[in-house]
Amino acid sequence: MLAGMPPSSDAALRVVASDPPAATGATVVTMTGNLDIDSAPTLRRALDELLGRSVVRVVVDLSELGFCDSIGLSALVDAHRVCTRAGGYFRLAGPTPVLRRVLGVVGLAGRLPIFDSVPAALAARDGEAGA
């Protein structure tokens, strides 16, 4: 299952994590480019580093993600599992319409909290499912 356009060599995944804002304690992870079999390890390393620093409240900004394959989806599910088991959360924010549809088709829309925007994800209360 694919989301977005097929990857191209100039759309490498870039992952940038913000410092946690004092008000929410959440770290915003912004991804740009393509999340696929070749780039999923980049996301996994970035999330492992955050988890190694006990960061378990994560909002992932998907608004600039151009493509996501099943390996990328698996990386998101794994991160969600680790964060929630550690007492935190892993929220998806701003997915493109295509990615939102894919998340629904594969059954992840009911398992992962998905929000329309990063501010909405940051403002949500613990346990809130998203939009």
Side-chain angles (χ1 to χ4, degrees), residues 94-113:
T96 63
V98 172
L99 181 54
R100 186 180 285 273
R101 183 163 183 248
V102 168
L103 291 166
V105 168
V106 300
L108 293 178
R111 291 185 56 202
L112 301 176

Side-chain angles (χ1 to χ4, degrees), residues 16-40:
V16 177
S18 70
D19 290 326
T24 65
T27 295
V28 176
V29 174
T30 302
M31 292 192 300
T32 57
N34 299 318
L35 179 56
D36 57 23
I37 191 167
D38 294 323
S39 63

Side-chain angles (χ1 to χ4, degrees), residues 16-103:
V16 177
S18 70
D19 290 326
T24 65
T27 295
V28 176
V29 174
T30 302
M31 292 192 300
T32 57
N34 299 318
L35 179 56
D36 57 23
I37 191 167
D38 294 323
S39 63
T42 300
L43 175 61
R44 290 181 193 273
R45 279 191 300 275
L47 294 172
D48 285 347
E49 188 218 319
L50 290 173
L51 295 169
R53 293 186 291 144
S54 299
V55 174
V56 295
R57 302 181 112 202
V58 178
V59 172
V60 181
D61 182 356
L62 301 172
S63 63
E64 297 298 319
L65 191 65
F67 173 85
C68 185
D69 70 6
S70 61
I71 302 299
L73 293 174
S74 176
L76 296 174
V77 170
D78 291 344
H80 171 72
R81 187 178 312 116
V82 170
C83 287
T84 55
R85 283 186 183 161
Y89 57 73
F90 187 83
R91 298 172 177 166
L92 305 180
T96 63
V98 172
L99 181 54
R100 186 180 285 273
R101 183 163 183 248
V102 168
L103 291 166

